[in-house]
Amino acid sequence: MRDLTPLINRLKKNDRHLGKWARREGIQCYRVYDRDLPEFPVAIDRYAARLHIAEYDTGWQQDEDTHEVWVEGVKAAASEALGVAFETIAFKTRRRQKGLAQYEKTGEDGAFFVVEEAGLKFRVNLDSYLDTGLFLDHRPTRARIRQEAAGKRFLNLFAYTGSFSVYAAAGGARETVTVDLSNTYLQWAGLNMELNGFTDPAAHRRDRADVFQWLDDTIRDGEHFDLIVMDPPTFSNSKKMIDVLDIQRDHGWLIDSAMMVLAPGGTLYFSTNLRGFRLDADLANKYRLEDISAVSVPEDFRNRKIHQCFRLQARA
């Protein structure tokens, strides 16, 4: 068993700094540790009084018993260093894979609970799904949406649990439309909206649809939005979709289509967490395009390449 002292010391150091920052910002969920030490290749996220630990696939070869002892040691170190009850810690091994990670169930029974971020409330579940219901690396972009949403029609594509829609509504959007293929996550998004007092179905619509088809239909119908967020999965072969989604291959079409439903003077935010993603160079010729990745990754993430994020507007 590896010596856990370096991990305990690093966690205590990180949490002293980040805990003060998070309290100032009104944030209950943040990354405490992100593979800081090579011998402990995990990401540790605090969700209020609980922890979510994700082990990264580094190619290590460990037999099952050795790995289990190591996992229990990491959990014990995190519990001690961060003052969190051992039994409230969720631990997951994240394999490199293609698919809708956020849509996949783990087979574990997990409890839903409510956390707060910048005065807003969100339901999360640390055990039942590979992802928790709230992507922490998009916190700065959510804040941007809140700042820009006043009086606007807001569209959230590949919406997952609708956190961007909550922020848009909180920022005074006159209407939000939340689009996702999963009924489970659309219901989750609806509950997040209700938690924050946004209950008018006429003002806050949720559409269960394949985004490809939804965009085709919306372009045909001539509907337009002032502010759009699109954060697609990197790959999906869901049977509910008309076609397979490969974000490297398909992002140009998705952005072009979203720009066709963007109102004059409107803004589109496009983000992806595909490692090695290369933006189609022709998009910069078509649109006013700004790579905001350097400021869209929050300070609690050591991995500054966790995602890429772009701001697009029509050329005058």
Side-chain angles (χ1 to χ4, degrees):
M1 178 63 193
R2 295 176 184 272
D3 180 12
L4 295 169
T5 304
L7 177 61
I8 292 171
N9 290 340
R10 179 60 63 95
L11 287 172
K12 287 181 176 179
K13 178 183 177 182
N14 288 1
D15 202 42
R16 277 195 300 270
H17 164 66
L18 290 169
K20 293 177 183 177
W21 163 79
R23 285 190 292 274
R24 286 196 307 268
E25 299 292 322
I27 294 167
Q28 289 187 335
C29 308
Y30 54 94
R31 181 149 294 185
V32 183
Y33 174 96
D34 196 358
R35 290 186 281 188
D36 299 36
L37 306 173
E39 61 269 35
F40 298 103
V42 297
I44 302 178
D45 296 328
R46 183 186 282 278
Y47 286 79
R50 307 187 193 193
L51 296 179
H52 180 271
I53 303 179
E55 178 189 7
Y56 289 93
D57 184 2
T58 60
W60 281 5
Q61 297 298 316
Q62 289 181 319
D63 63 60
E64 191 172 327
D65 290 342
T66 301
H67 182 255
E68 184 175 346
V69 169
W70 182 82
V71 168
E72 294 301 294
V74 170
K75 290 170 65 177
S79 174
E80 176 184 336
L82 301 176
V84 172
F86 183 89
E87 60 273 14
T88 67
I89 300 174
F91 192 104
K92 298 170 190 166
T93 298
R94 187 178 294 276
R95 302 294 182 188
R96 294 181 184 179
Q97 59 186 346
K98 290 184 175 182
L100 285 172
Q102 71 265 35
Y103 295 116
E104 294 180 4
K105 291 190 174 183
T106 62
E108 299 289 329
D109 290 328
F112 285 88
F113 61 101
V114 175
V115 295
E116 293 189 11
E117 181 182 279
L120 300 173
K121 297 178 181 180
F122 301 92
R123 294 173 84 246
V124 296
N125 185 316
L126 305 190
D127 297 290
S128 296
Y129 303 87
L130 289 184
D131 286 305
T132 65
L134 186 65
F135 291 129
L136 305 189
D137 61 305
H138 281 306
R139 197 186 307 116
T141 309
R142 287 194 285 270
R144 276 179 175 255
I145 294 301
R146 189 179 198 170
Q147 291 166 1
E148 297 178 16
K152 295 179 180 177
R153 293 194 78 213
F154 171 74
L155 173 61
N156 188 359
L157 297 171
F158 302 98
Y160 189 36
T161 61
S163 59
F164 280 114
S165 300
V166 172
Y167 266 79
R174 74 175 189 272
E175 184 180 350
T176 68
V177 176
T178 303
V179 183
D180 199 276
L181 189 60
S182 166
N183 193 51
T184 297
Y185 288 96
L186 277 180
Q187 290 177 350
W188 194 335
L191 291 170
N192 279 336
M193 294 291 278
E194 289 176 11
L195 268 176
N196 294 280
F198 306 119
T199 58
D200 181 359
H204 304 295
R205 191 176 99 209
R206 299 192 306 279
D207 289 353
R208 181 174 182 244
D210 172 0
V211 168
F212 285 88
Q213 186 62 55
W214 191 95
L215 282 168
D216 275 343
D217 293 344
T218 303
I219 291 167
R220 182 197 64 216
D221 295 342
E223 192 173 2
H224 291 92
F225 297 85
D226 306 297
L227 184 61
I228 303 175
V229 166
M230 182 162 52
D231 179 30
T234 61
F235 180 89
S236 174
N237 57 359
S238 170
K239 294 178 181 178
K240 299 173 186 175
M241 292 183 66
I242 294 173
D243 200 357
V244 171
L245 168 66
D246 179 323
I247 197 57
Q248 182 61 69
R249 181 194 67 201
D250 297 329
H251 73 274
W253 184 92
L254 284 167
I255 288 173
D256 283 342
S257 297
M259 293 299 288
M260 291 178 71
V261 302
L262 188 67
T267 301
L268 165 67
Y269 287 95
F270 170 81
S271 181
T272 179
N273 64 355
L274 174 63
R275 277 178 285 185
F277 175 79
R278 298 178 308 280
L279 189 74
D280 183 346
D282 191 46
L283 292 169
N285 298 322
K286 294 180 182 178
Y287 312 115
R288 292 170 52 197
L289 187 150
E290 179 185 5
D291 183 345
I292 64 168
S293 306
V295 294
S296 67
V297 177
E299 67 176 76
D300 47 319
F301 277 72
R302 285 182 69 250
N303 178 10
R304 306 306 297 175
K305 297 182 179 180
I306 188 72
H307 68 239
Q308 294 182 55
C309 191
F310 304 89
R311 187 174 190 263
L312 297 99
Q313 294 179 311
R315 290 194 176 276

Short mmCIF file of all heavy atoms in Angstrom, two decimals, residues 123 160-163 165-166 178 183-199 204-206:
data_model
loop_
_atom_site.label_atom_id
_atom_site.label_comp_id
_atom_site.label_asym_id
_atom_site.label_seq_id
_atom_site.Cartn_x
_atom_site.Cartn_y
_atom_site.Cartn_z
N ARG A 123 -30.14 19.65 -8.04
CA ARG A 123 -30.17 18.28 -7.56
C ARG A 123 -28.97 17.54 -8.15
O ARG A 123 -28.71 17.61 -9.35
CB ARG A 123 -31.45 17.56 -8.01
CG ARG A 123 -32.71 18.09 -7.42
CD ARG A 123 -33.93 17.44 -8.06
NE ARG A 123 -34.27 16.16 -7.45
CZ ARG A 123 -34.21 14.98 -8.05
NH1 ARG A 123 -33.79 14.90 -9.30
NH2 ARG A 123 -34.57 13.88 -7.43
N TYR A 160 -28.68 18.18 -20.94
CA TYR A 160 -28.39 17.37 -19.75
C TYR A 160 -29.40 17.72 -18.65
O TYR A 160 -30.61 17.62 -18.88
CB TYR A 160 -26.94 17.56 -19.35
CG TYR A 160 -26.40 16.65 -18.27
CD1 TYR A 160 -26.81 15.32 -18.17
CD2 TYR A 160 -25.45 17.12 -17.36
CE1 TYR A 160 -26.29 14.49 -17.18
CE2 TYR A 160 -24.93 16.29 -16.38
CZ TYR A 160 -25.36 14.98 -16.29
OH TYR A 160 -24.84 14.17 -15.30
N THR A 161 -28.97 18.17 -17.49
CA THR A 161 -29.91 18.44 -16.39
C THR A 161 -30.31 19.92 -16.29
O THR A 161 -30.86 20.35 -15.28
CB THR A 161 -29.33 17.97 -15.04
OG1 THR A 161 -28.12 18.67 -14.78
CG2 THR A 161 -29.06 16.47 -15.07
N GLY A 162 -30.00 20.68 -17.33
CA GLY A 162 -30.56 22.02 -17.46
C GLY A 162 -29.94 23.12 -16.63
O GLY A 162 -30.56 24.17 -16.43
N SER A 163 -28.70 22.96 -16.18
CA SER A 163 -28.12 24.00 -15.32
C SER A 163 -27.98 25.33 -16.05
O SER A 163 -28.19 26.40 -15.46
CB SER A 163 -26.76 23.55 -14.77
OG SER A 163 -25.85 23.27 -15.82
N SER A 165 -29.99 26.45 -18.27
CA SER A 165 -31.34 27.02 -18.33
C SER A 165 -31.70 27.69 -17.01
O SER A 165 -32.34 28.75 -16.99
CB SER A 165 -32.36 25.93 -18.67
OG SER A 165 -32.07 25.35 -19.93
N VAL A 166 -31.31 27.08 -15.91
CA VAL A 166 -31.55 27.69 -14.59
C VAL A 166 -30.84 29.03 -14.50
O VAL A 166 -31.42 30.04 -14.07
CB VAL A 166 -31.07 26.75 -13.46
CG1 VAL A 166 -31.14 27.47 -12.11
CG2 VAL A 166 -31.93 25.48 -13.42
N THR A 178 -35.25 24.10 -23.42
CA THR A 178 -34.26 23.12 -23.00
C THR A 178 -34.47 21.85 -23.81
O THR A 178 -35.53 21.23 -23.73
CB THR A 178 -34.41 22.84 -21.49
OG1 THR A 178 -34.28 24.07 -20.76
CG2 THR A 178 -33.38 21.85 -21.00
N ASN A 183 -35.44 11.57 -21.57
CA ASN A 183 -36.56 11.98 -20.74
C ASN A 183 -36.15 12.08 -19.28
O ASN A 183 -36.59 12.97 -18.54
CB ASN A 183 -37.72 10.98 -20.90
CG ASN A 183 -39.01 11.51 -20.31
OD1 ASN A 183 -39.42 12.62 -20.60
ND2 ASN A 183 -39.65 10.70 -19.49
N THR A 184 -35.28 11.18 -18.83
CA THR A 184 -34.79 11.20 -17.44
C THR A 184 -34.14 12.53 -17.11
O THR A 184 -34.42 13.15 -16.08
CB THR A 184 -33.78 10.06 -17.21
OG1 THR A 184 -34.44 8.81 -17.39
CG2 THR A 184 -33.18 10.14 -15.82
N TYR A 185 -33.28 12.99 -18.02
CA TYR A 185 -32.56 14.23 -17.74
C TYR A 185 -33.41 15.46 -17.96
O TYR A 185 -33.22 16.47 -17.28
CB TYR A 185 -31.25 14.25 -18.54
CG TYR A 185 -30.28 13.26 -17.96
CD1 TYR A 185 -30.16 11.99 -18.49
CD2 TYR A 185 -29.54 13.56 -16.83
CE1 TYR A 185 -29.31 11.06 -17.94
CE2 TYR A 185 -28.69 12.65 -16.26
CZ TYR A 185 -28.57 11.39 -16.81
OH TYR A 185 -27.74 10.46 -16.24
N LEU A 186 -34.36 15.40 -18.86
CA LEU A 186 -35.30 16.51 -18.99
C LEU A 186 -36.15 16.66 -17.74
O LEU A 186 -36.44 17.78 -17.29
CB LEU A 186 -36.18 16.32 -20.22
CG LEU A 186 -35.59 16.75 -21.56
CD1 LEU A 186 -36.61 16.50 -22.67
CD2 LEU A 186 -35.16 18.22 -21.56
N GLN A 187 -36.57 15.54 -17.15
CA GLN A 187 -37.31 15.61 -15.90
C GLN A 187 -36.44 16.20 -14.79
O GLN A 187 -36.90 17.02 -13.99
CB GLN A 187 -37.82 14.22 -15.51
CG GLN A 187 -38.92 13.69 -16.42
CD GLN A 187 -39.34 12.29 -16.05
OE1 GLN A 187 -38.70 11.61 -15.24
NE2 GLN A 187 -40.41 11.81 -16.68
N TRP A 188 -35.20 15.78 -14.76
CA TRP A 188 -34.22 16.31 -13.79
C TRP A 188 -34.07 17.82 -14.00
O TRP A 188 -34.05 18.60 -13.03
CB TRP A 188 -32.91 15.58 -13.99
CG TRP A 188 -31.86 15.72 -12.93
CD1 TRP A 188 -31.69 16.74 -12.03
CD2 TRP A 188 -30.81 14.78 -12.68
NE1 TRP A 188 -30.59 16.50 -11.25
CE2 TRP A 188 -30.04 15.31 -11.62
CE3 TRP A 188 -30.44 13.57 -13.25
CZ2 TRP A 188 -28.91 14.63 -11.12
CZ3 TRP A 188 -29.32 12.92 -12.76
CH2 TRP A 188 -28.56 13.44 -11.71
N ALA A 189 -33.97 18.24 -15.25
CA ALA A 189 -33.88 19.67 -15.56
C ALA A 189 -35.11 20.42 -15.05
O ALA A 189 -35.00 21.52 -14.51
CB ALA A 189 -33.71 19.88 -17.07
N GLY A 190 -36.28 19.81 -15.25
CA GLY A 190 -37.51 20.45 -14.77
C GLY A 190 -37.50 20.61 -13.26
O GLY A 190 -37.93 21.65 -12.73
N LEU A 191 -37.01 19.62 -12.55
CA LEU A 191 -36.93 19.72 -11.09
C LEU A 191 -35.93 20.79 -10.66
O LEU A 191 -36.16 21.51 -9.68
CB LEU A 191 -36.56 18.36 -10.50
CG LEU A 191 -37.63 17.28 -10.62
CD1 LEU A 191 -37.08 15.92 -10.24
CD2 LEU A 191 -38.85 17.62 -9.77
N ASN A 192 -34.83 20.92 -11.40
CA ASN A 192 -33.88 21.99 -11.10
C ASN A 192 -34.52 23.37 -11.30
O ASN A 192 -34.30 24.29 -10.51
CB ASN A 192 -32.64 21.86 -11.98
CG ASN A 192 -31.64 20.84 -11.47
OD1 ASN A 192 -31.62 20.52 -10.28
ND2 ASN A 192 -30.82 20.31 -12.36
N MET A 193 -35.29 23.50 -12.36
CA MET A 193 -35.99 24.77 -12.59
C MET A 193 -36.97 25.06 -11.45
O MET A 193 -37.04 26.18 -10.92
CB MET A 193 -36.72 24.74 -13.93
CG MET A 193 -35.81 24.67 -15.15
SD MET A 193 -34.84 26.17 -15.43
CE MET A 193 -36.05 27.19 -16.28
N GLU A 194 -37.73 24.04 -11.05
CA GLU A 194 -38.70 24.22 -9.97
C GLU A 194 -38.03 24.58 -8.66
O GLU A 194 -38.55 25.40 -7.88
CB GLU A 194 -39.52 22.93 -9.80
CG GLU A 194 -40.48 22.67 -10.94
CD GLU A 194 -41.20 21.34 -10.78
OE1 GLU A 194 -41.08 20.73 -9.69
OE2 GLU A 194 -41.86 20.91 -11.74
N LEU A 195 -36.87 23.97 -8.38
CA LEU A 195 -36.13 24.28 -7.15
C LEU A 195 -35.84 25.77 -7.03
O LEU A 195 -35.74 26.30 -5.92
CB LEU A 195 -34.80 23.53 -7.15
CG LEU A 195 -34.72 22.15 -6.50
CD1 LEU A 195 -33.32 21.58 -6.70
CD2 LEU A 195 -35.05 22.22 -5.02
N ASN A 196 -35.69 26.42 -8.17
CA ASN A 196 -35.32 27.83 -8.20
C ASN A 196 -36.50 28.75 -8.51
O ASN A 196 -36.31 29.93 -8.78
CB ASN A 196 -34.18 28.03 -9.19
CG ASN A 196 -32.90 27.33 -8.73
OD1 ASN A 196 -32.19 27.86 -7.88
ND2 ASN A 196 -32.65 26.14 -9.26
N GLY A 197 -37.71 28.18 -8.50
CA GLY A 197 -38.91 28.99 -8.63
C GLY A 197 -39.35 29.27 -10.05
O GLY A 197 -40.23 30.12 -10.27
N PHE A 198 -38.76 28.57 -11.05
CA PHE A 198 -39.12 28.82 -12.45
C PHE A 198 -40.07 27.71 -12.90
O PHE A 198 -39.64 26.67 -13.40
CB PHE A 198 -37.86 28.88 -13.31
CG PHE A 198 -36.84 29.86 -12.80
CD1 PHE A 198 -35.57 29.43 -12.42
CD2 PHE A 198 -37.17 31.20 -12.65
CE1 PHE A 198 -34.64 30.33 -11.93
CE2 PHE A 198 -36.24 32.12 -12.16
CZ PHE A 198 -34.97 31.69 -11.79
N THR A 199 -41.36 27.94 -12.72
CA THR A 199 -42.35 26.88 -12.87
C THR A 199 -43.34 27.11 -14.01
O THR A 199 -44.19 26.26 -14.25
CB THR A 199 -43.13 26.71 -11.56
OG1 THR A 199 -43.76 27.96 -11.22
CG2 THR A 199 -42.22 26.28 -10.43
N HIS A 204 -40.86 28.42 -19.79
CA HIS A 204 -39.70 27.53 -19.67
C HIS A 204 -40.06 26.16 -20.24
O HIS A 204 -40.54 25.27 -19.53
CB HIS A 204 -39.25 27.43 -18.21
CG HIS A 204 -38.95 28.77 -17.60
ND1 HIS A 204 -37.92 29.56 -18.04
CD2 HIS A 204 -39.60 29.48 -16.63
CE1 HIS A 204 -37.91 30.69 -17.35
NE2 HIS A 204 -38.92 30.66 -16.50
N ARG A 205 -39.79 26.01 -21.52
CA ARG A 205 -40.21 24.82 -22.28
C ARG A 205 -39.09 23.78 -22.28
O ARG A 205 -37.91 24.12 -22.33
CB ARG A 205 -40.52 25.25 -23.71
CG ARG A 205 -41.20 24.22 -24.58
CD ARG A 205 -41.53 24.85 -25.93
NE ARG A 205 -40.55 24.53 -26.97
CZ ARG A 205 -40.26 25.33 -27.99
NH1 ARG A 205 -40.85 26.51 -28.12
NH2 ARG A 205 -39.38 24.95 -28.90
N ARG A 206 -39.49 22.52 -22.26
CA ARG A 206 -38.54 21.42 -22.37
C ARG A 206 -38.96 20.53 -23.53
O ARG A 206 -40.10 20.07 -23.58
CB ARG A 206 -38.46 20.61 -21.07
CG ARG A 206 -37.99 21.42 -19.88
CD ARG A 206 -37.65 20.55 -18.69
NE ARG A 206 -38.72 19.66 -18.28
CZ ARG A 206 -39.75 20.01 -17.54
NH1 ARG A 206 -39.86 21.26 -17.12
NH2 ARG A 206 -40.68 19.13 -17.20
#
